[in-house]
Amino acid sequence: GRRGARRVNRNRQLGLASFLTVLAAILASFAIAVALIFVFSKNPGQTLYYYFLGPFLSRYALFNMLESSVPLMFTGLGIALAFNSGVTNLGGEGQIFSGALVAVVVGIAIPAAPRALGVLAILAGGTLAGGLLAGFSGVLRRRWNVSELLTTYLLSSGVVYVINYLILGPLRNPQKMTIESVSIPARFMLARLAPPSFLHSGLLLALAAAGAVYFLVYRTHLGYELRASGSNRQFARYGGINVGQYFVLPLVLSGGLTGLGGAVQVVGRYQSCFTDLTAGLGWNGIAVALIARNNPLAV
């Protein structure tokens, strides 16, 4: 009884310390932003007003802020799953970009498909693209012990340039003044939840993905093996777990979630793919996962 009580108290103290650490990081980031505003803004008071309250001044601004969170949820979930499994995925930029491009390719390849089937195919294509790209790094780690921290980053960096080339050249839409790919049929686009804002039903998909990842990680046998391998691979090996496969599978799942985020960007908002679509979404997903302490629901 006393030992159990001490363990509970210790866990509570660790949880409180973890929460305070995250809170301190968030407050520090706000403090830095405020300091920069005072240094560079000609009207700091007005700038601070719009910085903190701007997204809440109108339904349009609020819903657009929510829409901008959708891709961050997918990249954050992908990174959180990888971190829970003891692997590192630094390739979110290339994975979300490849997911978006493959989504466009699938969309223009099946223009006559039924709407529901077409949307599913587009989302599946983006998921597969991100999963394969990240999974390749897992194979390199398992077969030749090449650090996935290095390969996910390098592969992602190279893929971004390749996709930009495809958008600038073979897949460019000649009818648009902007540099973007050809567009998928408009009937494959997700429904808008609060027009005229950009918020779309991809938000519901992101929330469902968070619940699904949480259930996978914390409520299934597979999730237990993922976390056990990530916590202590030697212990997991003695427990009969095939730790080798948990270099590959977590990266496939992580990249798949990130690629799905790119596909949702296409069918949810942009309808096409343009150069440098990611705009730091892969790296920001790492920050989201760290702030959430790798908890899918907190993402």
Side-chain angles (χ1 to χ4, degrees), residues 37-38 40-49:
I37 287 173
F38 274 102
F40 293 106
S41 176
K42 295 180 180 179
N43 191 340
Q46 186 180 36
T47 304
L48 287 170
Y49 174 77

Side-chain angles (χ1 to χ4, degrees), residues 43-92:
N43 191 340
Q46 186 180 36
T47 304
L48 287 170
Y49 174 77
Y50 284 108
Y51 178 76
F52 286 103
L53 299 180
F56 306 100
L57 294 178
S58 69
R59 294 176 71 253
Y60 181 79
L62 174 62
F63 290 140
N64 279 341
M65 181 182 70
L66 290 177
E67 189 278 330
S68 68
S69 74
V70 173
L72 287 174
M73 289 189 206
F74 284 107
T75 54
L77 287 172
I79 299 302
L81 193 151
F83 285 168
N84 271 303
S85 307
V87 295
T88 304
N89 182 5
L90 298 184

Side-chain angles (χ1 to χ4, degrees), residues 47 107 128 136 216 270:
T47 304
L128 182 63
F136 182 62
L216 170 68
Y270 295 118

Side-chain angles (χ1 to χ4, degrees), residues 10 33 119 121 125 131 138-139 152 166 181 188 195 203 216 235 248 267-268 287 294:
R10 185 167 58 251
V119 173
V139 172
T152 52
L166 293 173
S181 72
F188 290 150
L203 174 65
L216 170 68
F235 172 81
V248 182
V267 296
N294 300 325

